[in-house]
Short mmCIF file of all heavy atoms in Angstrom, two decimals:
data_model
loop_
_atom_site.label_atom_id
_atom_site.label_comp_id
_atom_site.label_asym_id
_atom_site.label_seq_id
_atom_site.Cartn_x
_atom_site.Cartn_y
_atom_site.Cartn_z
N TYR A 150 73.19 5.75 -70.24
CA TYR A 150 73.98 4.57 -69.89
C TYR A 150 73.78 3.46 -70.93
O TYR A 150 74.70 2.72 -71.26
CB TYR A 150 73.63 4.06 -68.46
CG TYR A 150 74.36 4.90 -67.42
CD1 TYR A 150 73.93 6.15 -67.00
CD2 TYR A 150 75.54 4.39 -66.82
CE1 TYR A 150 74.62 6.86 -66.06
CE2 TYR A 150 76.24 5.11 -65.86
CZ TYR A 150 75.77 6.35 -65.49
OH TYR A 150 76.44 7.09 -64.57
N PHE A 151 72.58 3.34 -71.43
CA PHE A 151 72.29 2.37 -72.48
C PHE A 151 73.12 2.64 -73.71
O PHE A 151 73.75 1.78 -74.31
CB PHE A 151 70.79 2.35 -72.83
CG PHE A 151 70.46 1.54 -74.05
CD1 PHE A 151 70.41 0.14 -73.94
CD2 PHE A 151 70.19 2.13 -75.27
CE1 PHE A 151 70.10 -0.65 -75.08
CE2 PHE A 151 69.88 1.37 -76.37
CZ PHE A 151 69.85 -0.03 -76.28
N ASN A 152 73.17 3.93 -74.12
CA ASN A 152 73.90 4.30 -75.34
C ASN A 152 75.41 4.04 -75.16
O ASN A 152 76.07 3.66 -76.14
CB ASN A 152 73.67 5.77 -75.64
CG ASN A 152 72.27 6.03 -76.22
OD1 ASN A 152 71.63 5.09 -76.70
ND2 ASN A 152 71.82 7.24 -76.15
N ARG A 153 75.93 4.19 -73.98
CA ARG A 153 77.35 3.90 -73.75
C ARG A 153 77.68 2.44 -73.93
O ARG A 153 78.85 2.09 -74.25
CB ARG A 153 77.79 4.38 -72.36
CG ARG A 153 77.85 5.87 -72.19
CD ARG A 153 78.39 6.25 -70.81
NE ARG A 153 78.18 7.65 -70.60
CZ ARG A 153 77.23 8.17 -69.78
NH1 ARG A 153 76.46 7.34 -69.05
NH2 ARG A 153 77.08 9.45 -69.65
N CYS A 154 76.72 1.57 -73.68
CA CYS A 154 76.94 0.12 -73.81
C CYS A 154 77.00 -0.33 -75.25
O CYS A 154 77.52 -1.42 -75.54
CB CYS A 154 75.84 -0.65 -73.05
SG CYS A 154 76.04 -0.49 -71.29
N LYS A 155 76.43 0.46 -76.17
CA LYS A 155 76.46 0.11 -77.60
C LYS A 155 75.96 -1.30 -77.87
O LYS A 155 76.58 -2.09 -78.54
CB LYS A 155 77.87 0.28 -78.19
CG LYS A 155 78.35 1.73 -78.13
CD LYS A 155 79.75 1.88 -78.72
CE LYS A 155 80.15 3.29 -78.82
NZ LYS A 155 80.43 4.09 -77.67
N LEU A 156 74.78 -1.60 -77.32
CA LEU A 156 74.13 -2.90 -77.51
C LEU A 156 73.38 -2.86 -78.82
O LEU A 156 72.37 -2.16 -78.93
CB LEU A 156 73.21 -3.22 -76.35
CG LEU A 156 73.89 -3.31 -75.00
CD1 LEU A 156 72.84 -3.44 -73.90
CD2 LEU A 156 74.87 -4.43 -74.90
N LYS A 157 73.83 -3.61 -79.83
CA LYS A 157 73.25 -3.55 -81.17
C LYS A 157 71.93 -4.36 -81.30
O LYS A 157 71.11 -4.01 -82.11
CB LYS A 157 74.27 -4.03 -82.19
CG LYS A 157 75.47 -3.08 -82.35
CD LYS A 157 76.45 -3.64 -83.33
CE LYS A 157 77.60 -2.71 -83.61
NZ LYS A 157 78.43 -2.40 -82.48
N ASN A 158 71.78 -5.35 -80.48
CA ASN A 158 70.62 -6.26 -80.62
C ASN A 158 69.60 -6.08 -79.52
O ASN A 158 68.77 -6.95 -79.27
CB ASN A 158 71.05 -7.71 -80.74
CG ASN A 158 71.88 -7.93 -82.01
OD1 ASN A 158 71.53 -7.50 -83.07
ND2 ASN A 158 73.00 -8.61 -81.84
N THR A 159 69.69 -4.96 -78.82
CA THR A 159 68.74 -4.59 -77.76
C THR A 159 68.31 -3.19 -77.96
O THR A 159 69.15 -2.32 -78.22
CB THR A 159 69.40 -4.77 -76.37
OG1 THR A 159 69.92 -6.10 -76.25
CG2 THR A 159 68.39 -4.51 -75.26
N THR A 160 67.02 -2.93 -77.85
CA THR A 160 66.49 -1.58 -78.05
C THR A 160 66.28 -0.86 -76.72
O THR A 160 66.11 -1.55 -75.64
CB THR A 160 65.16 -1.57 -78.81
OG1 THR A 160 64.17 -2.21 -77.96
CG2 THR A 160 65.27 -2.33 -80.13
N LEU A 161 66.28 0.45 -76.76
CA LEU A 161 66.02 1.23 -75.56
C LEU A 161 64.60 0.92 -75.08
O LEU A 161 64.40 0.86 -73.86
CB LEU A 161 66.21 2.72 -75.87
CG LEU A 161 65.96 3.66 -74.69
CD1 LEU A 161 66.88 3.36 -73.51
CD2 LEU A 161 66.12 5.12 -75.13
N ASP A 162 63.67 0.74 -75.99
CA ASP A 162 62.32 0.38 -75.59
C ASP A 162 62.27 -0.91 -74.81
O ASP A 162 61.53 -1.04 -73.81
CB ASP A 162 61.37 0.31 -76.79
CG ASP A 162 61.07 1.65 -77.40
OD1 ASP A 162 61.23 2.68 -76.68
OD2 ASP A 162 60.68 1.69 -78.59
N GLU A 163 63.07 -1.88 -75.21
CA GLU A 163 63.14 -3.18 -74.49
C GLU A 163 63.67 -2.95 -73.10
O GLU A 163 63.18 -3.55 -72.11
CB GLU A 163 64.04 -4.13 -75.29
CG GLU A 163 64.09 -5.53 -74.77
CD GLU A 163 64.94 -6.44 -75.62
OE1 GLU A 163 65.39 -6.06 -76.71
OE2 GLU A 163 65.19 -7.56 -75.14
N VAL A 164 64.68 -2.10 -72.97
CA VAL A 164 65.29 -1.84 -71.66
C VAL A 164 64.29 -1.12 -70.74
O VAL A 164 64.12 -1.51 -69.58
CB VAL A 164 66.59 -1.03 -71.83
CG1 VAL A 164 67.13 -0.56 -70.50
CG2 VAL A 164 67.62 -1.86 -72.58
N THR A 165 63.63 -0.11 -71.25
CA THR A 165 62.64 0.65 -70.42
C THR A 165 61.47 -0.23 -70.02
O THR A 165 60.95 -0.10 -68.93
CB THR A 165 62.22 1.94 -71.10
OG1 THR A 165 61.65 1.65 -72.35
CG2 THR A 165 63.38 2.93 -71.26
N ALA A 166 61.08 -1.15 -70.94
CA ALA A 166 59.95 -2.03 -70.60
C ALA A 166 60.43 -3.00 -69.49
O ALA A 166 59.63 -3.30 -68.55
CB ALA A 166 59.55 -2.86 -71.84
N PHE A 167 61.66 -3.44 -69.54
CA PHE A 167 62.19 -4.31 -68.50
C PHE A 167 62.26 -3.59 -67.14
O PHE A 167 61.90 -4.15 -66.10
CB PHE A 167 63.57 -4.86 -68.88
CG PHE A 167 64.21 -5.65 -67.82
CD1 PHE A 167 63.76 -6.94 -67.52
CD2 PHE A 167 65.26 -5.15 -67.04
CE1 PHE A 167 64.35 -7.70 -66.51
CE2 PHE A 167 65.85 -5.89 -66.03
CZ PHE A 167 65.40 -7.17 -65.76
N VAL A 168 62.64 -2.32 -67.17
CA VAL A 168 62.66 -1.54 -65.94
C VAL A 168 61.24 -1.45 -65.35
O VAL A 168 61.05 -1.62 -64.15
CB VAL A 168 63.28 -0.14 -66.16
CG1 VAL A 168 63.06 0.76 -64.95
CG2 VAL A 168 64.75 -0.27 -66.49
N ALA A 169 60.29 -1.20 -66.23
CA ALA A 169 58.89 -1.09 -65.77
C ALA A 169 58.42 -2.39 -65.11
O ALA A 169 57.75 -2.40 -64.08
CB ALA A 169 57.97 -0.70 -66.94
N LEU A 170 58.80 -3.54 -65.73
CA LEU A 170 58.46 -4.82 -65.19
C LEU A 170 59.18 -5.09 -63.86
O LEU A 170 58.63 -5.72 -62.94
CB LEU A 170 58.77 -5.96 -66.16
CG LEU A 170 57.86 -6.07 -67.37
CD1 LEU A 170 58.41 -7.09 -68.34
CD2 LEU A 170 56.40 -6.41 -66.98
N SER A 171 60.37 -4.61 -63.74
CA SER A 171 61.20 -4.81 -62.51
C SER A 171 60.73 -3.94 -61.36
O SER A 171 61.15 -4.18 -60.21
CB SER A 171 62.66 -4.51 -62.83
OG SER A 171 63.15 -5.39 -63.80
N ALA A 172 59.96 -2.90 -61.66
CA ALA A 172 59.58 -1.93 -60.62
C ALA A 172 58.78 -2.57 -59.49
O ALA A 172 58.85 -2.09 -58.35
CB ALA A 172 58.83 -0.79 -61.28
#
Side-chain angles (χ1 to χ4, degrees):
Y150 279 80
F151 171 77
N152 288 340
R153 288 185 193 106
C154 288
K155 297 180 171 70
L156 301 172
K157 293 180 175 62
N158 296 315
T159 304
T160 66
L161 180 59
D162 288 339
E163 186 178 352
V164 172
T165 56
F167 175 73
V168 170
L170 288 173
S171 298

